[in-house]
Amino acid sequence: MHDIKWIREHPEDFDENLKKRGKAPHAEILLSLDQSYRSCVAETQALQQKRNDVAATMGKMRGKGEDTAALVEEGTALKNKLATLEAEERALFEKLNFSLASLPNLMLDSVPQGTSDADNKTVRVVGDPALFSFKPKEHFELGEALGLMDFEQAAQVSGSRFVILKGALARLERALAQFMLDTHVNEFGYTEVSPPLLVTSDTMFGTGQLPNLGEDSFKTQNHWLIPTAEVPLTNLVAKKTLDESQLPLRFVGHTPCFRSEAGAAGKDTRGMLRQHQFYKVELVSIVHPDDAQGELERMTGAAERILQKLNLPYRVQLLCTGDAGFCSQKTYDLEVWLPGQDQYREISSCSTCGPFQARRMNARFRPKDIDGQKQKPQFVHTLNGSGLAVGRTLIAVLENYQQADGSIRIPEVLYPYMNGLKEIK
């Protein structure tokens, strides 16, 4: 959510940054709403004071036995007018906040301007794609040939965009998640969290999934299925005021994720790339504003470490203004090489969101005292990233470690998690 006070002081900067995202100017509309709201608040407060004055005068007159009929009539009229004004004030407040909450975050200056993924900037390429002596197959061809990946029966059970993994592939999926968790906890100091998978609308609002991204998620009668563990993990600090000494907080969680894929009709209909249900290991950091940019590099490095240990070729992309997510100030995408598709595909996004989510969640910290003087609370900065998408990592392992006979070698780093199994065939 945006800070209306900042917009009052920087309307042109606000519109210029929105323009980089391809959005129309909004400062004039927001400031007009803000002015109407503040005027209504001032009028309401003045009327409340007048009503209090009438009540006080009435009390004195009654004490003297004087007639207060005229004041009673005036008080009733003020009460009715006040109720109307308070309703108008609430409506203006809600409209202003809805407008502020519906606009995407402002981008950092270091983000390249662009309109699509074609304008993203390659930061680095790590590892060389393997050369095969045969035409490499896609993951679903490999999995189905092994009899361990079943899309047909999954469609009977649940519909399209679901998969059933069996035997060694189910174990490999579990091994990947355990390996990722162990790496992030033991090497990067993240605290493992097992969060709820059902969350409230307020929780979804806090991380920016609502109001305008609701169609991408599934809703039960009273709750939302999480689209990513970012939602509950970031909300661990919702409505809290932390001590500065508690920062940074780093959380990691392994959960199923649920996406409606509303905007993906016709895209990646074969295989596991776009599923309604998938597993992901998610990283979330809650940090001091001064540390946010360094934390983004650290988080991206933690996600990269998984790919490096698995010896999977990848590249790091800095997303342009037109390709970054709603809450992002700056995003790095990690794209893994898939030889079956002969292209790089996204396997992680690591983003810094500044105070954008914290303002929505009312998540703050109290800075250290200066010369004995207490400092005003400030909003924390939040970051999130995939560390990694487990299903897509499974795809990458299948395609990069396939052999001519259709068997799959197990990456050496996963041996301890596979009970010594070194090959799936």
Side-chain angles (χ1 to χ4, degrees), residues 198-355:
L198 290 166
V199 295
T200 65
S201 293
D202 283 347
T203 302
M204 290 282 280
F205 176 84
T207 47
Q209 275 69 35
L210 295 178
N212 55 335
L213 299 176
E215 66 173 9
D216 295 327
S217 299
F218 289 109
K219 193 176 190 302
T220 67
Q221 186 173 357
N222 298 308
H223 292 82
W224 296 83
L225 293 170
I226 61 168
T228 165
E230 170 202 342
V231 178
L233 292 182
T234 308
N235 273 277
L236 290 177
V237 296
K239 298 180 182 178
K240 287 187 176 183
T241 300
L242 306 168
D243 289 330
E244 184 176 342
S245 61
Q246 293 177 264
L247 302 177
L249 295 172
R250 298 186 177 106
F251 304 121
V252 59
H254 167 233
T255 66
C257 305
F258 306 92
R259 305 274 178 91
S260 69
E261 295 293 345
K267 296 180 181 178
D268 299 314
T269 55
R270 294 292 309 274
M272 292 177 57
L273 273 165
R274 289 186 185 272
Q275 299 271 282
H276 289 311
Q277 174 187 313
F278 58 94
Y279 290 95
K280 187 151 65 81
V281 171
E282 184 75 4
L283 307 173
V284 163
S285 294
I286 313 296
V287 302
H288 189 286
D290 293 345
D291 299 330
Q293 295 312 302
E295 187 69 15
L296 177 60
E297 302 299 327
R298 184 186 191 277
M299 178 180 284
T300 304
E304 285 185 77
R305 184 65 178 145
I306 301 299
L307 293 169
Q308 292 163 5
K309 285 191 165 194
L310 291 170
N311 198 27
L312 293 171
Y314 69 95
R315 67 183 183 183
V316 181
Q317 300 285 96
L318 173 57
L319 300 195
C320 70
T321 54
D323 197 33
F326 180 82
C327 292
S328 170
Q329 282 187 330
K330 182 177 182 178
T331 297
Y332 290 116
D333 267 10
L334 305 187
E335 297 181 346
V336 68
W337 176 254
L338 298 183
Q341 290 196 12
D342 195 34
Q343 63 177 316
Y344 288 99
R345 297 300 299 261
E346 178 196 337
I347 198 168
S348 171
S349 283
C350 296
S351 301
T352 179
C353 302

Side-chain angles (χ1 to χ4, degrees), residues 130 132 136-140 142 149 172 176 180 272-273 306-307 310-314 335-341 343-347 388-402 408-409 411 414:
F132 291 86
K137 296 177 181 179
E138 294 197 54
H139 68 282
F140 53 84
L142 295 161
M149 186 179 288
L172 179 57
L176 284 166
M180 293 174 191
M272 292 177 57
L273 273 165
I306 301 299
L307 293 169
L310 291 170
N311 198 27
L312 293 171
Y314 69 95
E335 297 181 346
V336 68
W337 176 254
L338 298 183
Q341 290 196 12
Q343 63 177 316
Y344 288 99
R345 297 300 299 261
E346 178 196 337
I347 198 168
L388 306 162
V390 179
R392 291 198 173 195
T393 309
L394 176 66
I395 291 170
V397 169
L398 292 179
E399 294 195 10
N400 282 277
Y401 282 84
Q402 64 180 293
I408 310 296
R409 290 186 296 111
L414 296 180

Side-chain angles (χ1 to χ4, degrees), residues 37-179:
Y37 168 67
R38 289 196 292 161
S39 296
C40 189
V41 169
E43 189 176 353
T44 300
Q45 291 174 341
L47 203 63
Q48 287 170 334
Q49 183 59 53
K50 187 174 182 181
R51 184 186 175 194
N52 292 340
D53 292 343
V54 169
T57 302
M58 196 184 306
K60 291 177 181 178
M61 291 177 66
R62 283 174 176 167
K64 297 177 181 179
E66 299 177 359
D67 182 14
T68 60
L71 286 178
V72 169
E73 185 176 344
E74 183 180 0
T76 300
L78 287 171
K79 178 182 178 181
N80 293 335
K81 187 175 181 181
L82 190 58
T84 301
L85 269 176
E86 287 174 340
E88 182 182 350
E89 179 183 323
R90 285 193 299 271
L92 286 168
F93 178 80
E94 290 172 2
K95 187 174 182 180
L96 174 60
N97 278 279
F98 180 86
S99 298
L100 290 168
S102 299
L103 292 171
N105 202 354
L106 303 183
M107 307 301 294
L108 298 177
D109 291 340
S110 56
V111 176
Q113 190 165 347
T115 58
S116 71
D117 58 4
D119 299 311
N120 294 340
K121 178 182 176 183
T122 300
V123 177
R124 55 186 169 272
V125 178
V126 180
D128 298 317
L131 297 176
F132 291 86
S133 60
F134 56 93
K135 186 179 186 307
K137 296 177 181 179
E138 294 197 54
H139 68 282
F140 53 84
E141 298 174 289
L142 295 161
E144 288 177 328
L146 289 166
L148 302 177
M149 186 179 288
D150 192 337
F151 295 97
E152 184 176 344
Q153 191 61 33
Q156 290 292 325
V157 172
S158 302
S160 63
R161 296 191 187 275
F162 289 91
V163 67
I164 295 170
L165 300 179
K166 305 173 186 177
L169 280 193
R171 178 156 195 155
L172 179 57
E173 181 183 51
R174 174 161 54 95
L176 284 166
Q178 291 176 316
F179 157 66

